[in-house]
Every structure is written in structure tokens, then in C-alpha cells.
Amino acid sequence: MNEEQRLKLLGTKCREFGQGAVARMLGYSPTAVSQVLNNKYKGALDGFLTRVEEVFGQTMVDCPVLGEITLGKCAENRKLPFASTNPLRVRLFRECQICTIGSGQAHGGDSK
């Protein structure tokens, strides 16, 4: 998704759920959402819009561990703490540390 598509998605979700609810879903303040929508946001817009895509988008990525998953699922796994109790979690943790897919640097199936 390009920047324009992610901004459009943000606007659509704000109309659907309201800015306050969307802000909570994204983990940003309602003020930040309003500033992005009004082109007055002073922070890193790419990080904000990547979060929009993670939460609301349907972009698929090729995870080296799980195969094809949504960018949102990738973000969920990337944020999990290390847990040695499950071999899959260990493998995910290690791969997520070096993978660039969920970092906003690569999308659409590009790995590393």
C-alpha cells in the first residue's frame, strides 16, 4: 500500500468507527489521528501509516516461519516477548529480530 492508500484507509475507518476508537486501535492519541487526517502531523508519518496498515489493511507478507500471513499478524508476532517454552515461538523470535518485512522497509512478500 502506498501513502495515499493508507491515508484513505485511515479516513474510511475513522468514518466507520470514529476517530477516538481508531486512535485506541492504533495506539495513538485522537489528536495524532486528527493531525494526520488534516496533514498537520509533526511525527514520522511512515511509522503511523504502517501501523494503520498493520491494524486495518489486508496486505499479505511472506513470513520465513509461518508462510503467507497478514502484515497485522506479522506485527503481532514481532511484538511477542521471547518464550523458550515453545519451539515455534523461539524460531519466530529469532527470525523477527533479523527480518525487515514488518519493519516497514519491505512489504508484499519481500523477505530480508
Side-chain angles (χ1 to χ4, degrees):
M1 268 183 146
N2 64 33
E3 183 176 302
E4 183 179 328
Q5 292 169 320
R6 294 184 285 177
L7 283 168
K8 185 176 178 180
L9 179 59
L10 175 63
T12 299
K13 293 304 177 180
C14 284
R15 285 188 296 280
E16 185 177 344
F17 300 113
Q19 283 187 17
V22 168
R24 281 188 298 280
M25 291 180 218
L26 295 174
Y28 282 85
S29 71
T31 302
V33 173
S34 177
Q35 288 174 346
V36 170
L37 290 172
N38 292 302
N39 200 27
K40 295 181 180 183
Y41 188 67
K42 303 288 187 209
L45 191 58
D46 191 51
F48 184 98
L49 294 178
T50 296
R51 184 68 184 144
V52 169
E53 190 173 358
E54 288 172 356
V55 172
F56 300 115
Q58 296 301 313
T59 299
M60 301 301 286
V61 296
D62 187 19
C63 174
V65 177
L66 300 174
E68 193 170 358
I69 59 174
T70 64
L71 183 60
K73 189 69 172 169
C74 172
E76 286 175 30
N77 285 311
R78 187 176 64 249
K79 294 173 185 172
L80 289 173
F82 179 77
S84 62
T85 56
N86 181 319
L88 181 60
R89 287 275 304 275
V90 170
R91 194 165 162 225
L92 273 168
F93 183 82
R94 287 182 179 152
E95 287 295 325
C96 289
Q97 299 299 305
I98 60 172
C99 185
T100 60
I101 293 171
S103 67
Q105 296 173 10
H107 291 117
D110 300 334
S111 62
K112 299 184 187 114

